[in-house]
Amino acid sequence: MKVISVQDINGFKIGHSQDEEAATGCTVVICEKGAIAGVDVRGGSPGTRETDLLDPRNLVEHVHGLFLSGGSAYGLNVGGGMMEFLEQKGVGFDVQVAKVPIVAGAILFDLFPGDPTVRPNHQMGYDACLNALEQKEDKNGNIGAGTGATIGKCLGPEFAMKGGLGTYAVQIGEFKIGAVVAVNCFGDVIDPSNGQIIAGVYDRQAQALLGSEKQLLKQYNQKEKTNRFQGNTTIGTILTNASLTKAQANKIASIAHDGYARTMRPSHTLVDGDTVFTMSTNEVDIELNVVGQLAVTVMEKAVLAAIKQAKSSYGLLAYQDI
């Protein structure tokens, strides 16, 4: 098994667009020939588009695009820009009178720390698609949907740290699998290799990570809620060339949530909308358990890449600086 660029998974094009001053952005994945897709939503505060369509009981088999976006629910407008771009290229589900691009997506809350009046919109989605045509290498950290991402928020903004966007991919023979994830979790990020917190709730004066789980236990009988930004959310997708049915793509998305659970504590909280998609070009026959195992691995590694390559900004410290 060798590590590759997520851009090396043929059939997918990944692009980003962001407003660095406003601390928000989006990341898009285009699959013009169509990808078998699935999804699993675990968090209690999700914001999604076209996830019902990915149910194996429903008609459409392929999606042509996927977005991960900041901007809370406003960021769902990114999907319109993707649809315009794909329609201009003649890509979509043929309904005889038109070709309708099938675009799914999910959003995260980044109205803090940037300008809450500026959100990813139709134009930003379109621009991200244009950028996808040019992008040749992986970009992690403060980019796309990770631009305004934050982590460790149970004690409010003064204790939060910088999140980001991460990618990771591997190859065995002809089989390729990778992950793209925007890490904006309520809890801490853990290195599974040693169980240590690497970023999260941070006390600048003591120069110490406090541990989200410990802080939550201290608040068990607190009548007033702390400032938890009702919507945090880590959103990501598995990309692969494995041969999958629609039902199997949904199952792989479900299994990939273990990558969240291994690296984020707590994960899947009521104030997260944690969501994982799967997109497959459906080309290489491979044992399904291997796909599931490696989906967890690449998601785990992508989460760590997002945090380790994020840079301090917007008054928030990053892993690199502590």
Side-chain angles (χ1 to χ4, degrees):
M1 183 171 70
K2 65 178 181 179
V3 178
I4 61 172
S5 166
V6 75
Q7 300 282 349
D8 291 336
I9 304 176
N10 297 334
F12 299 109
K13 296 176 182 177
I14 303 167
H16 314 279
S17 184
Q18 57 277 324
D19 186 322
E20 294 182 2
E21 183 176 347
T24 194
C26 67
T27 296
V28 303
V29 181
I30 297 171
C31 186
E32 294 182 17
K33 293 183 178 180
I36 297 292
V39 66
D40 191 330
V41 181
R42 296 274 181 97
S45 300
T48 57
R49 169 186 167 126
E50 294 284 35
T51 50
D52 283 349
L53 197 67
L54 306 185
D55 188 316
R57 296 170 296 182
N58 294 331
L59 174 65
V60 174
E61 287 289 330
H62 297 88
V63 301
H64 307 101
L66 172 76
F67 66 85
L68 310 173
S69 178
S72 191
Y74 297 105
L76 294 173
N77 288 329
V78 164
M82 291 191 72
M83 287 191 71
E84 179 183 352
F85 174 86
L86 291 167
E87 183 183 28
Q88 290 175 352
K89 294 181 72 65
V91 174
F93 180 70
D94 191 350
V95 294
Q96 296 187 354
V97 294
K99 285 189 175 181
V100 181
I102 306 301
V103 175
I107 51 87
L108 56 79
F109 183 96
D110 63 359
L111 303 184
F112 160 87
D115 184 346
T117 67
V118 178
R119 305 104 179 200
N121 55 19
H122 184 107
Q123 187 62 51
M124 193 176 285
Y126 188 92
D127 291 343
C129 292
L130 290 175
N131 292 336
L133 301 180
E134 304 297 330
Q135 188 170 322
K136 302 300 181 183
E137 59 185 24
D138 295 342
K139 294 186 177 182
N140 297 324
N142 301 22
I143 192 166
T147 302
T150 55
I151 62 172
K153 289 162 276 192
C154 72
L155 296 181
E158 63 270 26
F159 292 91
M161 287 183 63
K162 187 73 184 69
L165 184 97
T167 63
Y168 193 86
V170 296
Q171 179 175 358
I172 302 176
E174 295 182 350
F175 169 60
K176 299 177 182 180
I177 187 168
V180 181
V181 62
V183 183
N184 188 63
C185 56
F186 170 68
D188 302 320
V189 174
I190 311 296
D191 184 343
S193 68
N194 55 24
Q196 297 298 308
I197 300 172
I198 63 171
V201 181
Y202 186 74
D203 185 331
R204 295 191 183 209
Q205 291 187 337
Q207 296 185 344
L209 289 159
L210 303 180
S212 290
E213 292 182 320
K214 290 182 180 179
Q215 299 309 311
L216 283 175
L217 289 175
K218 292 179 181 179
Q219 301 168 10
Y220 78 98
N221 64 349
Q222 194 168 309
K223 293 183 179 180
E224 292 186 8
K225 293 182 179 179
T226 54
N227 186 355
R228 296 175 181 169
F229 315 115
Q230 296 294 321
N232 301 279
T233 303
T234 295
I235 49 179
T237 186
I238 297 297
L239 304 178
T240 183
N241 61 0
S243 294
L244 299 175
T245 65
K246 199 173 174 183
Q248 289 169 340
N250 277 271
K251 187 60 178 178
I252 295 301
S254 175
I255 294 170
H257 270 284
D258 286 358
Y260 285 9
R262 286 183 183 180
T263 55
M264 289 174 270
R265 297 181 188 167
S267 58
H268 309 126
T269 73
L270 292 175
V271 291
D272 285 297
D274 294 343
T275 300
V276 176
F277 295 91
T278 296
M279 299 177 71
S280 175
T281 54
N282 203 31
E283 296 172 326
V284 178
D285 289 331
I286 186 81
E287 161 63 39
L288 193 61
N289 288 304
V290 173
V291 181
Q293 174 186 335
L294 291 180
V296 175
T297 298
V298 295
M299 184 59 76
E300 173 188 312
K301 298 291 188 182
V303 170
L304 295 179
I307 299 307
K308 291 184 176 181
Q309 296 189 44
K311 295 181 179 179
S312 297
S313 52
Y314 315 115
L316 297 162
L317 287 175
Y319 163 85
Q320 296 180 13
D321 295 312
I322 67 167

